[in-house]
Amino acid sequence: MVKGKRTYEEQSADPAAQAMLIRADELGISTAFSRADDMAPCNIGSAGMCCKLCGMGPCRLTKDGQTGVCGATIDTIQARNFLRAIAAGAAAHSDHGRGMAVTLKAVAKGQAEGYYLRDVAKLRSVASLNNIPIEGRSPEEIANELADLYLAQFGQQDGEIAPTSRANQKRQKLWYDLGVMPRGIDREIVEALHRTHIGDDQDPEHILQHAVRVAISDGWGGSLIATDITDILFGTPAPLLGRANLGVLKEDMVNVVVHGHEPTLSQMIVAASQDPEIIEYAKKAGANGINISGICCTANEILMRQGIPAAGNFLHQELAILTGSVEAMVVDVQCVMQALVSLAENFHTHVITTSPKVKIKGAMHIEFNEHKALTIAKDILKASIDNYKNRGKTQIPDVQEQLIPGFSHEYINYMLGGSYRASFRPLNDAIMSGRIRGVAAIVGCNNPRSQQDYLHTHVTKELLKQDVLVVETGCGAIASAKLGLLLGEAGLDQVGPGLREICETVGIPPVLHMGSCVDNSRILTVLTQMADEGGLGDDVDQIPAVGLAPEWMSEKALSIGTYCVASGAYVIFGGSSPISGMPDRVSDSDVVLKYISEGWEKLYGGKMEFISDTEEMIKRTLEHIDNKRAALGLPEYSPEKFGKSGDSRMIELEQLPWTERRETIYGVAAD
Ligand code: XCC
Ligand code: SF4
């Protein structure tokens, strides 16, 4: 746990962040980093031992055997707190999904200015998956029916939510048998609040069973719906060349940073920024044009579709403003710090809130709606341009890295077999032969209580050396991007021999950027398709795969972790555990912690653990992968066998300058 002021290097592994933290100190401005140093977390609350669910409390349970005023035990309190957190996370993702469905409906009806059905192939395939007829129908008709179907999933009362039909058959049956098949997205979230009200559900295991149902309604519901529709409206991602870190901000341009989650607004701002009228307006203001960049998952959404650079991840939101070069930070929902507004008062930056759900006192509010999106986006850009003249002294760290994002599950499928033989066969074969030892999904946030980006990138690097193929999303993916791990190129000399062979043969980086946090649903799809492909058992829990969220902080991360467990994965969270309980507890020790690991493993084949020690995280990941390999009867992992095929060609390629090499290997053109 953090105590006292850390050095800049201890606060962040990113040199751009370190430079801005120095600037913040020089200017006497606080950041999440310094505030974390100044305020130790409450040790009762952080362990899940505080209940404030009614006016008889809050009850703080610090002694063994103690109960709340109502008699609630620590296990009940922890389980309730955990369920509430998961419900909030699922609500955030799912409401985002609902927003996408509302937009799809408006587009289908021709009532959404500036939006199109950009990926009709995906629309048709998603419609087919949902038994919506496609032959002889216009894209708008199909989209209208799909939007209605998806919108209905929120208010549905019984049965199962439609996208769960894409889970493996065996898994669906298991969810039915265990009573965790979600009936309707809103219904499960409401029930979570009901069950955790004073005097309701008080059996910890029963409470946690509902946590699973809520989480499934996120991963296999709201999040999957969000991903599907985002692809339909803005295109299914495919690899392209991007850039990340504060160095993407421009000295001579109007810098507009979009931050948050929903792509509806950010995509429109990108479109509006290319409008000749707007460019002209910027030039008149004395700038060389408009430079859009992103923070958090909004960054991922526009990075992997349009190649718009990412200014950074969660902990970069304040640092971007600290450069003094940001005319406007345009935010919508989730992960937006209230601190931005008071921070921006030290500079000329406008913080502009746009969601009808989110206002911050002191911020400018320009409300977004999908019917007038383009007009609103232009208004926002004009306000940003008008602010350019107020810019004072700037300091933009000259730090950025290139990356290749855009690995949707569709693209991964295609890249492994081309148009004629698209399948997961080569990936499964590589795992079966031991060239690839297993797969790790490293996802989630930044947390100022640990060194920014260090845990992510350290775990990533160590697993690559061990021939573990890594997929990433969210702020974790941006961490790897900033530190240069999302270029096949930069990493290949640091990856194990077998994995390197595969990456070079297929032409992929060893770390695949799969998108934003709602796109963790893509990871579910990949795992399901791998199970269905054969050779790695018949369900996700048999695949040698692990999910990790080393720097998690948001409730959404807990929901993601839980739906991954429910889908059969082993999930490791780093940092602190929200349910760690008393350090030296004796009586029926740590019921909740035990239940989400051993208990859930018996039921779902997946388990959840909170491990603060990094090396232990890596060790358990590899152990799990090796145990799963052994259970499948696959050969033991032995790196000596691989890495020699085709080396002469690679040695030849390595003589070329990086841009040419990149073009030859990845087919991504130079800037
Ligand atoms: Fe938020 Fe999605 Fe976490 Fe990043 S990773 S801090 S949730 S933006 Ni999802
Ligand atoms: Fe205390 Fe029980 Fe009320 Fe929680 S629900 S605050 S434990 S009395």
Side-chain angles (χ1 to χ4, degrees):
M1 210 39 69
V2 174
K3 268 208 192 84
K5 171 134 177 59
R6 296 167 292 174
T7 63
Y8 304 115
E9 290 75 18
E10 286 167 338
Q11 290 178 324
S12 177
D14 176 348
Q18 292 162 10
M20 285 304 102
L21 291 170
I22 294 171
R23 178 164 159 92
D25 271 357
E26 283 166 1
L27 298 172
I29 296 173
S30 82
T31 62
F33 298 83
S34 65
R35 291 188 297 271
D37 286 356
D38 289 345
M39 186 172 59
C42 161
N43 55 6
I44 300 168
S46 68
M49 304 188 299
C50 172
C51 180
K52 51 180 174 61
L53 294 183
C54 87
M56 296 186 282
C59 300
R60 304 182 304 164
L61 272 53
T62 54
K63 287 190 216 73
D64 209 16
Q66 209 179 6
T67 66
V69 173
C70 68
T73 62
I74 182 156
D75 306 317
T76 298
I77 289 172
Q78 286 185 325
R80 283 197 303 219
N81 288 342
F82 200 51
L83 170 56
R84 280 220 168 179
I86 289 167
H93 281 152
S94 296
D95 217 29
H96 167 172
R98 184 200 321 263
M100 297 308 299
V102 168
T103 307
L104 183 66
K105 177 84 186 169
V107 176
K109 298 226 138 238
Q111 295 163 348
E113 170 201 278
Y115 296 106
Y116 309 92
L117 298 168
R118 198 156 297 162
D119 195 338
V120 174
K122 175 118 187 188
L123 169 67
R124 291 167 68 91
S125 92
V126 171
S128 300
L129 283 170
N130 286 296
N131 299 318
I132 293 173
I134 56 172
E135 287 321 315
R137 300 180 86 191
S138 72
E140 286 71 23
E141 271 174 275
I142 302 170
N144 189 46
E145 195 173 334
L146 181 65
D148 285 342
L149 175 83
Y150 275 177
L151 284 168
Q153 303 314 304
F154 293 90
Q156 187 173 283
Q157 299 303 322
D158 257 312
E160 68 287 314
I161 52 171
T164 55
S165 67
R166 280 189 249 173
N168 178 294
Q169 291 285 335
K170 198 173 153 194
R171 198 44 54 180
Q172 291 179 49
K173 178 164 185 311
L174 181 75
W175 290 340
Y176 263 117
D177 293 347
L178 294 174
V180 295
M181 182 60 99
R183 298 153 296 185
I185 299 166
D186 291 353
R187 172 163 191 187
E188 305 312 348
I189 294 166
V190 168
E191 190 171 311
L193 293 178
H194 180 183
R195 284 199 198 204
T196 51
H197 181 270
I198 159 81
D200 275 301
D201 201 358
Q202 282 151 109
D203 172 342
E205 294 184 5
H206 193 241
I207 295 168
L208 292 166
Q209 180 199 28
H210 190 65
V212 171
R213 178 148 59 174
V214 173
I216 297 173
S217 82
D218 171 356
W220 293 92
S223 285
L224 205 125
I225 288 173
T227 298
D228 275 354
I229 300 177
T230 307
D231 285 353
I232 290 168
L233 291 179
F234 305 114
T236 303
L240 44 72
L241 189 64
R243 288 174 295 127
N245 217 341
L246 296 172
V248 307
L249 297 169
K250 296 242 168 80
E251 215 46 89
D252 60 343
M253 292 176 105
V254 175
N255 289 308
V256 176
V257 180
V258 285
H259 167 28
H261 281 78
E262 296 178 347
T264 30
L265 170 67
S266 48
Q267 293 278 353
M268 210 44 82
I269 288 186
V270 171
S273 73
Q274 288 148 4
D275 186 302
E277 173 207 326
I278 293 290
I279 296 173
E280 199 37 52
Y281 194 77
K283 295 221 159 121
K284 272 206 197 107
N288 249 336
I290 301 180
N291 180 42
I292 311 281
S293 61
I295 296 266
C296 276
C297 283
T298 289
N300 288 321
E301 299 282 2
I302 52 178
L303 169 67
M304 63 179 175
R305 292 196 177 80
Q306 274 89 33
I308 301 295
N313 44 7
F314 178 66
L315 285 177
H316 266 41
Q317 56 188 290
E318 292 172 289
L319 308 183
I321 293 180
L322 269 158
T323 64
S325 70
V326 176
E327 273 58 54
M329 183 169 280
V330 185
V331 304
D332 56 11
V333 293
Q334 302 164 28
C335 304
V336 179
M337 291 191 201
Q338 183 167 3
L340 294 181
V341 173
S342 52
L343 171 70
E345 280 165 9
N346 297 286
F347 302 92
H348 71 307
T349 309
H350 289 323
V351 175
I352 306 178
T353 52
T354 58
S355 164
K357 293 173 202 134
V358 175
K359 283 193 178 182
I360 305 177
K361 232 181 172 46
M364 185 187 269
H365 188 76
I366 303 182
E367 196 154 304
F368 175 75
N369 83 63
E370 63 281 358
H371 305 295
K372 285 246 141 288
L374 194 57
T375 310
I376 296 165
K378 284 185 187 170
D379 288 346
I380 290 173
L381 289 180
K382 282 184 183 158
S384 314
I385 295 166
D386 291 341
N387 195 22
Y388 182 67
K389 60 176 185 298
N390 300 322
R391 196 191 273 190
K393 205 169 158 299
T394 63
Q395 183 191 331
I396 302 174
D398 185 19
V399 182
Q400 56 175 305
E401 270 292 351
Q402 292 187 322
L403 75 148
I404 301 178
F407 292 91
S408 53
H409 52 268
E410 286 89 347
Y411 189 82
I412 294 178
N413 197 27
Y414 161 80
M415 83 191 179
L416 289 169
S419 303
Y420 297 106
R421 282 209 162 266
S423 87
F424 280 81
R425 195 67 257 158
L427 177 60
N428 283 22
D429 284 345
I431 294 174
M432 289 166 69
S433 67
R435 273 197 173 81
I436 293 179
R437 186 170 180 174
V439 181
I442 306 180
V443 307
C445 325
N446 279 150
N447 188 325
R449 300 221 174 264
S450 65
Q451 186 190 16
Q452 183 193 15
D453 299 342
Y454 169 75
L455 289 177
H456 275 298
T457 51
H458 179 67
V459 172
T460 302
K461 284 187 207 156
E462 291 306 308
L463 292 177
L464 291 178
K465 284 186 205 154
Q466 300 290 330
D467 288 295
V468 176
L469 177 71
V470 175
V471 300
E472 297 194 344
T473 59
C475 290
I478 301 178
S480 286
K482 288 189 296 173
L483 299 184
L485 293 172
L486 294 186
L487 288 171
E489 203 46 32
L492 280 185
D493 53 338
Q494 297 153 35
V495 311
L499 177 60
R500 187 170 69 93
E501 236 175 52
I502 298 291
C503 293
E504 288 169 353
T505 309
V506 182
I508 50 166
V511 185
L512 303 179
H513 183 327
M514 293 189 69
S516 64
C517 294
V518 292
D519 292 335
N520 284 314
S521 62
R522 297 188 202 275
I523 298 177
L524 297 178
T525 307
V526 167
L527 290 172
T528 302
Q529 292 186 356
M530 285 170 71
D532 290 348
E533 181 64 42
L536 295 175
D538 59 0
D539 196 356
V540 172
D541 61 335
Q542 296 175 53
I543 299 174
V546 178
L548 298 112
E551 298 178 30
W552 81 278
M553 64 88 200
S554 103
E555 291 168 314
K556 291 178 287 173
L558 298 176
S559 177
I560 293 167
T562 306
Y563 71 63
C564 288
V565 172
S567 306
Y570 175 26
V571 175
I572 299 174
F573 283 91
S576 66
S577 156
I579 42 174
S580 58
M582 279 166 245
D584 41 10
R585 197 153 161 229
V586 239
S587 72
D588 58 13
S589 64
D590 294 331
V591 170
V592 171
L593 278 179
K594 244 204 193 121
Y595 184 69
I596 63 170
S597 105
E598 289 160 34
W600 276 354
E601 187 166 37
K602 272 190 210 109
L603 298 172
Y604 306 103
K607 60 180 171 179
M608 181 181 290
E609 278 169 3
F610 291 85
I611 302 173
S612 53
D613 182 273
T614 328
E615 300 315 313
E616 185 65 20
M617 240 187 250
I618 296 163
K619 189 176 137 237
R620 295 225 209 148
T621 299
L622 294 172
E623 269 170 17
H624 182 81
I625 285 175
D626 290 344
N627 289 341
K628 292 290 169 187
R629 294 188 64 87
L632 287 166
L634 299 179
E636 227 173 274
Y637 166 69
S638 66
E640 322 64 59
K641 285 202 287 196
F642 304 107
K644 293 177 192 75
S645 67
D647 267 5
S648 53
R649 172 73 178 131
M650 279 317 287
I651 291 164
E652 233 171 75
L653 281 172
E654 268 153 32
Q655 311 306 316
L656 297 173
W658 147 236
T659 41
E660 274 172 55
R661 231 181 312 162
R662 187 179 62 207
E663 215 176 323
T664 319
I665 306 177
Y666 306 112
V668 174
D671 311 345

